[in-house]
Amino acid sequence: MKPTDLLERHASLWNGAVQHPFLEAVREGTLTTDVFAAWLVQDYLFVTNELTFVAHLLPRAPRSDQALLAQSIVSLVEELRWFEEQAEQKKLSLNASPHPVTASYATLLKRLEQQPYVVAISALWAIERAYLEAWTNVAPGHPSYRVYIEHWANAIFAEFVTKLEQSVAVALNASDVDTKLDVEEAFLDVARLEQAFWEMAYSGAKP
Ligand code: MP5
């Protein structure tokens, strides 16, 4: 099994994770301020949890993946600063409660910490790949959102996602059948939560 087999096998679920009316509205510039703010605030919380997840993954990583994960940790710390700057410009408070979808994502990340390395790194690849595809699909997009689109739709981020995919491929090669099933389950969980995350913001649901 290759990482891209998961994308092909679950193409319709995956499309739901990377294509959504929220993203169409980013392309067209038709989102309301509240909807975008809801996404921004919850995504900040998500990235905070993602940082903990990756920081806990690094000590379990094979020697060959350490540099990539260390780089990811630095990027996540910088990304939190970037979110704080965006929120400040929009006069938004980031001191919000997690929406149930954000909380479910946090629960998944915690659960993955108890799973074999290959399952966790595969989930990280799916998480990053989802945002790469979602934002690249709507590039160049509306000028109001260009700073966000370019944050994920860029060559450096694409290269990072490719390196993660290579790490997943290596780890999958050394995995038994049962572990591969767990990888697939984690991939499905990520795909479902990615879709739910867009839906949460778009439907304007308050935490
Ligand atoms: C990412 C994200 C990508 N920011 N939010 C969700 C809900 N899924 C994936 O992670 P990163 O660290 O911003 O590249």
Side-chain angles (χ1 to χ4, degrees):
M1 177 166 91
K2 302 193 299 300
T4 47
D5 292 345
L6 294 166
L7 302 173
E8 284 164 24
R9 220 177 279 168
H10 305 289
S12 114
L13 183 66
W14 187 251
N15 283 342
V18 300
Q19 291 171 18
H20 190 274
F22 179 99
L23 292 157
E24 279 313 308
V26 164
R27 190 210 300 275
E28 304 296 333
T30 51
L31 277 180
T32 65
T33 314
D34 279 2
V35 163
F36 195 72
W39 167 81
L40 185 76
V41 168
Q42 294 299 317
D43 213 44
Y44 177 74
L45 297 178
F46 170 82
V47 173
T48 304
N49 298 328
E50 190 189 3
L51 172 59
T52 306
F53 169 65
V54 181
H56 289 168
L57 191 56
L58 176 59
R60 301 207 279 141
R63 188 65 197 94
S64 51
D65 285 357
Q66 286 172 345
L68 186 62
L69 290 177
Q71 177 204 329
S72 169
I73 291 169
V74 172
S75 302
L76 286 162
V77 173
E78 285 168 357
E79 188 170 43
L80 289 175
R81 177 83 221 123
W82 177 79
F83 270 100
E84 286 155 8
E85 283 163 10
Q86 303 308 320
E88 202 174 309
Q89 281 172 24
K90 292 183 182 297
K91 306 264 175 284
L92 279 177
S93 165
L94 289 170
N95 195 8
S97 319
H99 184 281
V101 173
T102 313
S104 295
Y105 223 146
T107 304
L108 172 66
L109 295 180
K110 274 280 157 237
R111 203 167 69 230
L112 289 166
E113 288 190 15
Q114 311 306 321
Q115 301 236 351
Y117 175 78
V118 62
V119 179
I121 190 79
S122 300
L124 180 62
W125 163 70
I127 287 167
E128 301 291 26
R129 169 99 191 201
Y131 260 39
L132 174 67
E133 280 192 46
W135 294 93
T136 303
N137 282 342
V138 296
H142 192 269
S144 318
Y145 301 111
R146 207 148 285 168
V147 61
Y148 297 91
I149 296 166
E150 287 172 358
H151 184 80
W152 287 282
N154 70 75
I156 292 170
F157 185 59
E159 195 187 319
F160 168 65
V161 176
T162 300
K163 285 186 183 159
L164 279 175
E165 190 174 308
Q166 287 160 355
S167 297
V168 173
V170 170
L172 276 173
N173 266 339
S175 301
D176 59 29
V177 177
D178 282 350
T179 311
K180 283 180 184 157
L181 287 176
D182 290 341
V183 166
E184 189 149 19
E185 208 44 61
F187 174 83
L188 295 174
D189 285 340
V190 168
R192 288 188 198 106
L193 280 164
E194 286 295 323
Q195 181 168 20
F197 209 89
W198 298 125
E199 197 53 39
M200 158 190 75
Y202 196 65
S203 67
K206 295 274 176 270

